[in-house]
Amino acid sequence: MAEASTLVGKLETDVEIKASAGKFHHMFAGRPHHVSKATPGNIQNCELHEDGEAKVAKERVEAVEPEKNLITFRVIDGDLMKEYKSFLLTIQVTPKHGGPGSVVHWHLEYEKISDEVAHPETLLQFCVEISKEIDEHLLNEE
């Protein structure tokens, strides 16, 4: 039996975008049905495509803090739950200091079911890709 500490992990990344923090946050908190329109190659309804294979994730919103442009999702069902006991995804967007644009901070917290399960680096890259696509979509809306 593996120690719990080797199964629990955190991954984080920052993505610079041109859109405002409020607009990006609102895409997830106020218009989640538009996310698939902004990044149709990656998200189609509740399906995400990674490595050419359809993956399904059902999420529940755990927390929304509009004043911090923060939203937290808990994955409650789907392909991720075959490899992880728990998976929490937090997105916080802050205005860029000293200029236009924002920084999207993605924070993934998870507990793997076993040591054989890889850390979700590919999912972190997926977060970077959808950030850029949503940014482009929001800029085209202006």
Side-chain angles (χ1 to χ4, degrees):
M1 185 79 190
E3 290 181 36
S5 61
T6 63
L7 299 177
V8 174
K10 292 180 184 180
L11 288 175
E12 298 179 70
T13 192
D14 289 329
V15 183
E16 289 191 14
I17 61 171
K18 294 180 177 107
S20 74
K23 282 186 179 179
F24 193 93
H25 170 75
H26 185 67
M27 182 66 106
F28 285 95
R31 304 188 308 161
H33 53 286
H34 285 212
V35 172
S36 63
K37 290 179 184 174
T39 179
N42 284 311
I43 298 178
Q44 300 167 353
N45 299 326
C46 290
E47 295 178 39
L48 66 97
H49 293 262
E50 183 181 304
D51 302 326
E53 185 181 332
K55 303 277 186 182
V56 177
K58 190 176 192 179
E59 302 169 338
R60 178 179 64 222
V61 174
E62 290 275 303
V64 178
E65 297 181 44
E67 66 283 353
K68 293 182 179 178
N69 292 317
L70 183 139
I71 188 164
T72 300
F73 298 97
R74 178 177 299 281
V75 179
I76 56 172
D77 196 12
D79 293 319
L80 277 176
M81 300 317 292
K82 294 174 186 169
E83 297 182 321
Y84 299 93
K85 288 181 186 176
S86 65
F87 207 100
L88 211 59
L89 180 100
T90 301
I91 307 164
Q92 184 168 19
V93 196
T94 54
K96 203 182 295 179
H97 296 293
S102 309
V103 176
V104 182
H105 182 77
W106 292 85
H107 182 97
L108 312 180
E109 284 185 55
Y110 53 89
E111 183 177 355
K112 304 183 299 179
I113 59 168
S114 72
D115 276 327
E116 286 76 47
V117 174
H119 292 281
E121 280 92 358
T122 55
L123 189 58
L124 201 62
Q125 182 55 42
F126 173 78
C127 294
V128 170
E129 290 172 20
I130 66 170
S131 295
K132 292 176 180 177
E133 290 181 357
I134 289 170
D135 184 38
E136 191 174 314
H137 177 81
L138 289 170
L139 294 173
N140 289 335
E141 280 186 342
E142 291 179 354

